[in-house]
Amino acid sequence: MLLRFRLTRPQLITRTVSARTVGHRSFCSGIHDDFKPQKRAYSPDEDVHAQITKDIAANKVTVFMKGVPEAPMCGFSNTVVQIMKVEGVQFKGINVLADADLREGIKTFSNWPTIPQVYVGGEFIGGCDTTLEMYKSGELRTLLEEVGAK
């Protein structure tokens, strides 16, 4: 049997919800200590900007991206990865999704609001659009050869 209700005017149904207490703790008191982050994933012992500087200095080509080179998590990151593969370049891909401090830190480090961010020879060259334009013009290949990445 199908019941149909017709409301002649909008009705607001409200319900009062209260937190139950279990012992001395409120049932909805927050996150248990076991589930709180114990340490940062990217730079557990130092400043994020210091770790970013170390990673850029240690690699001829560094890409701060969403996901990892084997599994990019956004189209822009995938485009940069494919360009690097076509150029035959070894590069360090760093997943910004693994650490919120890194995700925000890389933006303030470069003063660039978007991800991915590409560094070649220690210099920030830009994001996906810049890398794509440099690839199309041949400028990227020249830069990669100059820094010895190719």
Side-chain angles (χ1 to χ4, degrees), residues 49 52 101 103-112 117:
H49 284 196
I52 290 169
D101 291 334
R103 188 167 48 253
E104 293 308 313
I106 191 63
K107 294 175 185 178
T108 58
F109 180 83
S110 63
N111 199 23
W112 189 264
Q117 294 187 15

Side-chain angles (χ1 to χ4, degrees), residues 10 28 30 36 41 43 57 63 74 76 83 93 96 105 117 129 139 143:
C28 299
K36 290 181 182 175
S43 59
V63 179
C74 84
F76 299 114
I83 289 170
V96 300
Q117 294 187 15
D129 294 341
E139 188 181 352
L143 180 60

Side-chain angles (χ1 to χ4, degrees), residues 20-27:
R20 295 183 313 174
T21 56
V22 178
H24 68 281
R25 250 178 75 155
S26 170
F27 187 79

Side-chain angles (χ1 to χ4, degrees), residues 45-148:
D45 299 323
E46 61 185 84
D47 177 55
V48 173
H49 284 196
Q51 184 63 44
I52 290 169
T53 301
K54 283 182 181 178
D55 284 332
I56 292 169
N59 300 285
K60 292 180 181 176
V61 180
T62 308
V63 179
F64 291 88
M65 59 185 288
K66 293 179 180 177
V68 294
E70 298 78 25
M73 298 295 284
C74 84
F76 299 114
S77 294
N78 185 45
T79 299
V80 170
V81 168
Q82 297 309 315
I83 289 170
M84 295 302 168
K85 285 182 179 179
V86 167
E87 288 293 338
V89 175
Q90 293 279 338
F91 68 96
K92 173 75 173 180
I94 299 174
N95 183 8
V96 300
L97 298 177
D99 189 315
D101 291 334
L102 171 61
R103 188 167 48 253
E104 293 308 313
I106 191 63
K107 294 175 185 178
T108 58
F109 180 83
S110 63
N111 199 23
W112 189 264
T114 60
I115 295 167
Q117 294 187 15
V118 182
Y119 292 80
V120 177
E123 297 290 324
F124 175 62
I125 65 166
C128 177
D129 294 341
T130 308
T131 305
L132 184 58
E133 289 303 315
M134 290 177 73
Y135 168 72
K136 288 179 180 179
S137 71
E139 188 181 352
L140 181 62
R141 178 170 285 165
T142 304
L143 180 60
L144 292 169
E145 289 170 352
E146 286 175 5
V147 300

